[in-house]
Amino acid sequence: MDDCLFCKIANKKIPAKIEYEDEEILGFHDIDPQAPVHLIFIPKKHIVSLDQVQISDTNLIGKLLFQMAETARKLKISEAGYRVVNNIGTDGGQTVFHIHFHLLAGRKLKWPPG
Ligand code: 5GP
Ligand code: ZN
């Protein structure tokens, strides 16, 4: 997708501080962190949101979640705990329409979210 911000980050047309990368997945630091650790994980494949995920994408999304947990262990935040967030659509708070999962850590997170 030519005009998609996260496709541009995946294709290295826009720089980001990368924390994890493989052929299919990218994990990078959020530009406006909401916690001491705030990473964004995306599939390099353009998928609009969880609402658009097909059965053929489920291995990819499962691998992405696994790599988020691996990264949390690598960063030594898994013991204290962290949160994974996926916003879907306008009411869900989604502002970038390429599926992404937030990894938030480093402070006690409130519940419920606003
Ligand atoms: P959403 O609100 O769609 O769930 O999350 C989009 C996230 O992307 C926000 O947390 C926002 O700060 C982040 N973001 C927006 N533009 C950029 C950018 O150019 N680079 C990076 N690294 N993050 C971005
Ligand atoms: Zn995209």
Side-chain angles (χ1 to χ4, degrees):
M1 286 283 286
D2 288 348
D3 58 349
C4 171
L5 175 66
F6 285 174
C7 281
K8 286 180 185 160
I9 289 177
N11 295 327
K12 313 283 166 65
K13 288 178 182 152
I14 291 178
K17 190 178 167 205
I18 294 171
E19 192 65 46
Y20 175 80
E21 182 167 20
D22 65 29
E23 283 177 10
E24 298 177 301
I25 295 159
L26 193 68
F28 54 92
H29 291 258
D30 197 290
I31 204 167
D32 181 23
Q34 301 301 311
V37 178
H38 187 172
L39 303 177
I40 299 277
F41 276 71
I42 61 168
K44 291 183 177 177
K45 175 184 174 184
H46 182 83
I47 302 170
V48 170
S49 78
L50 187 63
D51 187 52
Q52 303 289 314
V53 167
Q54 305 293 309
I55 189 80
S56 54
D57 298 318
T58 53
N59 270 347
L60 173 61
I61 299 301
K63 278 193 233 171
L64 184 155
L65 291 171
F66 176 77
Q67 293 302 346
M68 293 186 81
E70 283 279 273
T71 302
R73 285 187 283 270
K74 185 186 84 179
L75 297 176
K76 308 215 180 304
I77 53 179
S78 47
E79 206 165 304
Y82 59 98
R83 185 171 293 166
V84 172
V85 175
N86 175 237
N87 296 326
I88 301 142
T90 307
D91 276 7
Q94 187 175 8
T95 60
V96 178
F97 289 86
H98 177 130
I99 190 171
H100 53 278
F101 294 79
H102 300 255
L103 192 164
L104 296 149
R107 66 173 172 84
K108 179 88 177 150
L109 297 164
K110 294 191 180 79
W111 190 264

